[in-house]
């Protein structure tokens, strides 16, 4: 037998968490054809992995590349840190299902991630067809967003659904699952997800569960109400009998630091008889649309309605006051220190100079109050401004990341510098999350072993999503492979200079095709939209 590729002299870390072993890997077409001593086996191509780790391609379980992949399929920030599968559609907001009545508002809600390109689809299936036809470097495992489903059924209104609307949400969820979604995500801090009750999520999640999908949730509050919010996610999982993935778990805001000990205890307890995991990215800052700081009542009706309220001189003072003090039914956010909120993307040309600055610093330069500056920016940018917010304790990240229920996710998206996705001053996680876990948490801080870290990036997310023959390196499995140097792999992207690729990843193989070859990206992009195992 002649192999297409033999990777030799490396240490195989197979994705199961088992100790690494010296084994060669033989690849034929898109599969792992043999593991063992293949020194004498004929091969069209031999890769010398001396001193390197051979592992399954990394699976990014929390990713927002839905539109980024259509816009620029090279996905360089991801592929260059070893990611071969991106789980898209997180946090409740997906570009499908959609219809003309809500298209503009849904686009505005996804702003910062949608690059102003047209959306020539309505149903989730039509969106996947467009994604299938687009050349892309990595595979995609898509989730459907509860927010998009709800917006389709009843718009962005602030109320509970009628029976008919609920039925239409169940139908849209079933359609998306049948079209190829791996589950449903929710974003319970974003309109319209924030207007729903727990029962609605249980109800729709039952449909998702029947189709073998997972429920991934950006929970109702990651700041003051973080404990109740984790309880709600666990309740939905229990009552709908659906595997749950708590998204980018954290306790936001100084006053909430340490609460992850309580939430983790709840998660670990539930995990004894439920499929419960959470994902985490290795940074103490998050990132979101700047309008997250605007109270929920002002979001009712969608992005256009919110912008109109911000422009309304009668409503503006109340919004301003609520941003500072919160509202009776809204304490989801933390006490805002404008020094901790950096402007990641500023859309309007004349405000572009603020990109990379904190709101505090930009306000000082302009001689304006930071609250007014932030609200003005949201209006002037048409709700396209994004922020990086420094809200987490390092001790919390260090506590959550090594636990057995954690999975590594970036919460970022594919960025290729020089193209339309390369604009702005994004969070560095899109470039560095996976390399950073190995560099910092394995090599420097020794909080987990390399085998454990790789398991959290490969075998564990693959099992959660029931990916067909991916996430482990075994004979017969698909040949998604990363070869990296454990002594030199590192993230280079920083909050100051985010557009920098990770280092130390020598080869990335996608379905048997060498997509990254010692720093050179192949012009053949072979990533696929993966099909759920049913
Ligand atoms: Zn989120």
């Amino acid at each position: 037998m002649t192999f297409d590729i033999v990777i030799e002299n490396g240490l195989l870390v197979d994705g199961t968490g088992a100790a690494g072993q010296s084994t060669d890997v033989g690849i034929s077409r898109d599969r792992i054809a043999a593991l063992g001593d293949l020194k004498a086996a004929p091969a069209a191509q031999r890769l010398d992995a001396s001193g390197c780790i051979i592992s399954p391609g990394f699976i990014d379980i929390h990713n927002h590349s839905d539109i980024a992949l259509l816009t620029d399929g090279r996905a360089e920030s991801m592929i260059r840190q070893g990611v071969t599968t991106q789980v898209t559609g997180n946090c409740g907001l997906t570009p499908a299902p959609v219809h003309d009545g809500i298209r503009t508002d849904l686009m505005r809600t996804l702003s910062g991630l949608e690059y102003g390109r047209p959306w020539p689809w309505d149903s989730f299936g039509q969106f996947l067809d467009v994604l299938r036809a687009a050349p892309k470097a990595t595979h995609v495992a898509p989730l459907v967003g509860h927010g998009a489903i709800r917006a389709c059924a009843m718009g962005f209104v602030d109320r509970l659904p009628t029976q008919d609307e609920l039925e239409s949400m169940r139908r849209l969820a079933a359609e998306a699952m049948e079209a190829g979604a791996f589950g449903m995500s929710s974003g319970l801090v974003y309109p319209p997800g924030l207007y729903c009750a727990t029962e609605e999520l249980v109800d729709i999640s039952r449909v998702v569960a029947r189709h073998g999908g997972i429920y991934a949730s950006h929970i109702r509050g990651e700041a003051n109400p973080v404990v109740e919010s984790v309880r709600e996610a666990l309740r939905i999982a229990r009552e709908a009998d659906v595997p749950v993935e708590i998204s980018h778990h954290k306790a936001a805001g100084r006053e909430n630091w340490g609460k992850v000990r309580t939430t983790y205890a709840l998660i670990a307890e539930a995990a004894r008889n439920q499929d419960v995991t959470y994902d985490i990215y290795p940074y103490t800052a998050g990132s979101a649309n700047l309008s997250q700081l605007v109270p929920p009542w002002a979001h009712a009706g969608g992005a256009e309605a919110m912008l109109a309220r911000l422009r309304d001189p009668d409503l503006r003072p109340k919004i301003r006051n609520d941003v500072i003090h919160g509202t009776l039914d809204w304490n989801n956010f933390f006490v805002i220190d404008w020094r901790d909120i950096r402007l990641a993307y500023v859309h309007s040309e004349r405000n572009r100079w603020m990109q990379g600055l904190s709101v505090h610093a930009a306000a000082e330069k302009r001689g304006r109050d930071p609250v007014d500056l932030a609200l003005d920016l949201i209006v002037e940018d048409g709700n396209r401004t994004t922020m990086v917010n420094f809200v987490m304790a390092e001790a919390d990240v260090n506590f959550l990341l090594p636990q057995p229920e954690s999975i590594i996710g970036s919460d970022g998206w594919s960025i290729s510098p020089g193209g339309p996705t390369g604009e702005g001053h994004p969070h560095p996680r899109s470039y560095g999350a996976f390399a950073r876990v190995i560099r910092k948490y394995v090599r420097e801080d020794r909080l987990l072993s390399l085998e454990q870290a790789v398991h959290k990036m490969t075998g564990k997310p693959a099992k959660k999503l029931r990916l067909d023959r991916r996430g482990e390196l075994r004979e017969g499995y698909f040949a998604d492979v990363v070869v990296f140097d454990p002594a030199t792999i590192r993230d280079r992207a920083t909050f100051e200079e985010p557009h920098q690729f990770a280092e130390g990843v020598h080869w990335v193989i996608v379905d048997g095709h060498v997509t990254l070859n010692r720093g050179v990206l192949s012009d053949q992009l072979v990533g696929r939209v993966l099909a759920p195992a049913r």
Side-chain angles (χ1 to χ4, degrees), residues 317-393:
K318 172 156 174 55
I319 295 175
R320 189 179 186 284
N321 188 62
D322 288 353
V323 171
I324 299 167
H325 301 292
T327 63
L328 265 186
D329 59 348
W330 180 57
N331 59 352
N332 285 3
F333 239 86
F334 34 87
V335 177
I336 298 167
D337 182 337
W338 296 101
R339 286 177 189 80
D340 292 339
I341 313 279
R342 281 196 216 172
L343 296 165
Y345 175 71
V346 177
H347 184 73
S348 45
E349 206 61 59
R350 77 194 137 102
N351 296 318
R352 193 66 54 83
W353 60 271
M354 297 178 193
Q355 233 169 231
L357 295 180
S358 70
V359 173
H360 175 84
E364 264 195 344
K365 284 203 175 185
R366 205 186 230 188
R368 195 132 169 74
D369 173 87
V371 184
D372 291 320
L373 180 107
L375 297 179
D376 285 349
L377 251 185
I378 294 168
V379 173
E380 288 170 30
D381 271 3
N383 195 32
R384 292 186 185 89
T385 324
T386 61
M387 62 176 166
V388 167
N389 40 1
F390 290 82
V391 295
M392 285 168 258

Side-chain angles (χ1 to χ4, degrees), residues 144-197:
V144 63
H146 161 261
I149 288 176
R150 192 179 215 266
C152 256
M154 56 190 289
F156 286 78
V157 290
D158 178 2
R159 62 166 172 80
L160 299 179
T162 63
Q163 276 309 314
D164 280 355
E165 286 162 346
L166 191 58
E167 178 50 37
S168 126
M169 284 192 258
R170 278 193 290 256
R171 185 177 44 76
L172 289 164
E175 269 174 29
M177 293 304 296
E178 278 153 26
F182 281 77
M184 179 176 78
S185 72
S186 68
L188 305 182
V189 300
Y190 302 110
L194 64 85
Y195 306 125
C196 81

